[in-house]
């Protein structure tokens, strides 16, 4: 607060190289101005300096000599600076305590969250079709229920894969042109499956595994690799070797359902069990000639 008035003490460089004089050659008028300035500042702040307390009711300078006044002046400046430093330190200590308290609270909150709600990072998810069923397993969510279609088993053109169509379609513009698709039927005879499914139309379910990101269908297995989740097991099925149409391999559920009211033989897209030929594969045993191949669908 004395920055501007301290110019009264400045002078040409002294012999010791410092800028300004040390004030000992100031005249009485200059010192009286400085003492008055100190007195006024002390009154404003409610403080009484050693110099101000001596000036009440008489001349600012009185009988004091120059050295006494300078000593009192320096003491007053030091006192004011000390008070400011103490206030600043108190503020810093308060800020430090507040930061420590906030950090302690944050760590406690983090501990509470980790104890009650373990954090699991999951990226994406995985979808698959459960052929022959209208529901998904306990480990997955049902996206939609549908029925299976494909190209006709006697046609040369079309597609080789089966599709799971939803029960409620959504059309856009159409012109009644294009290629036909047909409902799929079981061609299984009366054995293997728990219930006779011959000629019944095949349902399907589109499933979503939200905590897994990969899907794997393994033919000729009923179990999944370690750390993988088993969605369902079944039998490997596709088209017949005596038909023109070639179909992709799919894993039909081991306990399939049928679409109600669709049991008449209409022979559109067809599902047949698949079996290994020992003479061509060369892996019998452990494979068995003409035995229906199993399959399993796994996610991870």
């Amino acid at each position: 607060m004395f920055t501007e008035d301290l110019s009264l003490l400045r002078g040409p460089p002294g012999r010791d190289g410092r800028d300004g004089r040390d004030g000992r050659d100031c005249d009485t008028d200059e010192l009286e101005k400085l003492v008055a300035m100190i007195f006024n500042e002390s009154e404003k702040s409610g403080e009484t300096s050693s110099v101000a307390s001596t000036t009440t009711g008489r001349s600012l300078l009185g009988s004091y000599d120059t050295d006494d006044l300078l000593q009192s002046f320096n003491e007053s400046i030091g006192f004011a600076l000390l008070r400011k430093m103490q206030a600043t330190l108190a503020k810093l200590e308060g800020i430090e305590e507040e930061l420590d308290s906030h950090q302690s609270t944050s760590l406690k909150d983090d501990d509470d969250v980790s104890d009650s709600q373990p954090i699991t990072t999951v990226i994406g998810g995985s979808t698959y079709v459960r052929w022959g069923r209208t529901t998904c397993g306990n480990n997955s969510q049902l996206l939609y229920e549908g029925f299976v279609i494909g190209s006709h088993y006697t046609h040369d053109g079309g597609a080789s894969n089966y599709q799971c169509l939803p029960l409620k379609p959504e059309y856009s513009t159409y012109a009644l042109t294009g290629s036909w698709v047909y409902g799929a039927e079981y061609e299984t005879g009366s054995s293997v499956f728990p219930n006779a499914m011959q000629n019944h139309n095949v349902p399907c379910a589109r499933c979503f595994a939200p905590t897994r990101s990969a899907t794997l269908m393994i033919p000729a297995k009923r179990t999944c690799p370690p750390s993988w989740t088993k969605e369902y097991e079944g039998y490997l099925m596709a088209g017949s070797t005596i038909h023109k149409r070639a179909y992709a391999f799919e894993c039909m559920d081991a306990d399939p359902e049928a679409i109600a009211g669709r049991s008449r033989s209409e022979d559109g897209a067809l599902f047949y069990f698949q079996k290994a030929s020992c003479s061509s594969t060369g892996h019998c045993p452990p494979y068995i000639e003409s035995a229906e191949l199993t399959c399993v669908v796994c996610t991870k």
Side-chain angles (χ1 to χ4, degrees):
M1 60 182 176
F2 305 113
T3 304
E4 295 180 357
D5 295 286
L6 288 179
S7 61
L8 294 170
L9 292 178
R10 292 196 182 94
R15 286 176 298 173
D16 58 359
R18 294 178 296 174
D19 288 339
R21 56 195 177 185
D22 59 6
R24 294 182 182 276
D25 56 348
C26 293
D27 57 27
T28 302
D29 292 338
E30 292 176 343
L31 291 176
E32 187 169 352
K33 290 180 181 179
L34 290 173
V35 173
M37 178 266 295
I38 296 171
F39 176 73
N40 291 333
E41 292 292 340
S42 298
E43 282 188 338
K44 292 178 182 178
S45 61
E47 302 168 357
T48 303
S49 69
S50 60
V51 175
S53 63
T54 63
T55 62
T56 306
R58 58 191 179 90
S59 171
L60 288 171
L61 293 179
S63 61
Y64 290 97
D65 59 19
T66 302
D67 289 341
D68 292 336
L69 289 173
L70 283 173
Q71 181 177 356
S72 298
F73 173 71
N74 290 332
E75 290 175 354
S76 298
I77 293 177
F79 178 75
L81 291 175
L82 179 60
R83 290 295 299 272
K84 287 187 175 182
M85 291 175 63
Q86 289 174 338
T88 301
L89 288 173
K91 290 181 179 179
L92 291 174
E93 290 175 356
I95 293 173
E96 184 177 5
E97 291 177 358
E98 184 177 353
L99 289 174
D100 290 341
S101 176
H102 178 73
Q103 184 178 12
S104 177
T105 302
S106 298
L107 291 174
K108 182 179 179 181
D109 292 342
D110 291 343
D111 291 340
D112 294 341
V113 171
S114 62
D115 291 341
S116 59
Q117 297 178 351
I119 298 175
T120 302
T121 301
V122 178
I123 300 177
S126 184
T127 62
Y128 63 91
V129 174
R130 189 174 186 182
W131 304 100
R133 298 286 295 196
T134 57
T135 59
C136 301
N138 295 330
N139 300 312
S140 300
Q141 303 171 5
L142 177 67
L143 296 180
Y144 67 85
E145 175 187 346
F147 60 97
V148 183
I149 58 90
S151 297
H152 199 281
Y153 77 101
T154 62
H155 293 176
D156 294 328
S160 61
N161 59 324
Y162 303 98
Q163 287 292 317
C164 181
L165 264 59
L167 297 178
K168 296 181 179 180
E170 297 175 354
Y171 285 100
S172 184
T173 302
Y174 54 90
L176 305 179
T177 61
S179 181
W180 293 98
V181 293
Y182 301 84
E185 297 178 2
Y186 298 105
E187 293 293 330
T188 56
S190 58
S191 60
V192 180
F193 286 143
N195 299 306
M197 291 293 169
Q198 177 68 28
N199 294 330
H200 283 268
N201 279 42
V202 184
C204 57
R206 179 77 66 176
C207 306
F208 175 59
T211 60
R212 278 91 65 195
S213 59
T215 299
L216 174 67
M217 189 276 279
I218 308 177
K221 295 291 289 185
R222 299 179 62 192
T223 57
C224 295
S227 77
W228 286 72
T229 299
K230 180 179 178 179
E231 298 296 339
Y232 72 94
E233 66 172 284
Y235 290 91
L236 191 68
M237 303 193 78
S240 173
T241 56
I242 63 173
H243 295 158
K244 293 182 178 180
R245 167 65 48 210
Y247 292 104
F249 294 110
E250 300 293 355
C251 187
M252 186 67 66
D253 194 276
D255 187 11
E257 299 173 291
I259 296 177
R262 303 297 302 177
S263 60
R264 190 178 65 178
S265 178
E266 296 181 349
D267 292 339
L270 305 177
F271 278 101
Y272 287 84
F273 290 118
Q274 305 297 300
K275 51 192 178 181
S277 171
C278 288
S279 60
S280 62
T281 60
H283 288 273
C284 298
Y287 283 86
I288 302 172
E289 179 78 24
S290 298
E292 290 82 358
L293 292 170
T294 57
C295 57
V296 64
V297 173
C298 312
T299 56
K300 181 179 182 180

